[in-house]
Amino acid sequence: LRDPDGEAHAVRLLTWVPGRVLAAVRPHTPALLCSLGTLLGTLDAALDGFDHPAADRDLGWDPRRTDWVGDYLPLVADPARRDLAERLLGEADAAVARLAPALRTGVVHNDANDYNVIVDVGDPYTRRVAAVVDFGDCQRTWTVNELAVAAAYAALDKPDPLAAMVPIVEGYHAARPLTEADMEAIFPLVCLRLAVSVVISAYQRREEPANAYLTISERPAWDLLGKL
């Protein structure tokens, strides 16, 4: 498209889902969080059996491939935080490695963070999750990681993070029943996601120090890791 001065611009036309991102909505009622779990469970049930050659790809967020994280841990400047991330990574990796043979795999959205979850614009106490956006991290991995990612971000800045996770798990389970191995894997996968997130934030701050969005979850993620 050319502007009035004749300069050419690339233009992209998008559709959108009306609403607000979960990060900008309060309160996070149990019913709202349950609706998040229900939507993700419904999505994953619909994706059961879906396949695509591009689904099997190397992605830093894949909880099955965290061996790269150790090389970047030194970027976490604070020794206490670095030790915390290293310890939780080790514990979580050991737990999911034990459970891995029993965990189902499939193609999932893989990034239901609180800026990718769209909430409808209704009454604050009756509104529900309407959609998830940004399928850029979609890949084949353990399907329960879908739930763990959502639970990790929904628990940010909550006085009782485990209580905030419960309705998400309940909603997901109602739409796509979890196995015992799935349920046991949720907590270590939450810890794994948060630990990977803070290490990636440390790397991104070094690479793009002026881009505030890249580290937007860093402070609450460290606080939550400490609580967990």
Side-chain angles (χ1 to χ4, degrees), residues 11-85:
V11 177
R12 182 167 59 169
L13 180 65
L14 304 174
T15 58
W16 72 93
V17 178
R20 302 178 66 194
V21 296
L22 182 64
V25 166
R26 291 295 184 273
H28 288 179
T29 64
L32 173 61
L33 296 175
C34 184
S35 74
L36 170 57
T38 300
L39 184 142
L40 293 174
T42 301
L43 173 62
D44 288 352
L47 287 169
D48 275 344
F50 173 76
D51 197 14
H52 190 282
D56 293 298
R57 59 194 180 115
D58 189 14
L59 190 65
W61 293 107
D62 188 348
R64 300 176 303 171
R65 302 180 180 91
T66 58
D67 52 327
W68 63 270
V69 179
D71 293 336
Y72 291 87
L73 271 170
L75 295 176
V76 178
D78 184 280
R81 284 184 165 183
R82 187 168 59 249
D83 290 346
L84 173 63

Side-chain angles (χ1 to χ4, degrees), residues 33 72 91 113 141 153:
L33 296 175
Y72 291 87
E91 292 174 359
N113 71 63
T141 187
Y153 288 98

Side-chain angles (χ1 to χ4, degrees), residues 172-215:
Y172 188 99
H173 182 62
R176 185 175 185 270
L178 297 160
T179 67
E180 289 189 13
D182 288 337
M183 287 187 278
E184 193 175 347
I186 294 169
F187 185 82
L189 284 173
V190 166
C191 293
L192 197 61
R193 176 70 178 207
L194 292 167
V196 170
S197 176
V198 295
V199 171
I200 287 179
S201 290
Y203 168 77
Q204 290 173 329
R205 187 189 303 103
R206 185 189 71 176
E207 298 299 303
E208 297 186 54
N211 190 339
Y213 177 75
L214 294 176
T215 57

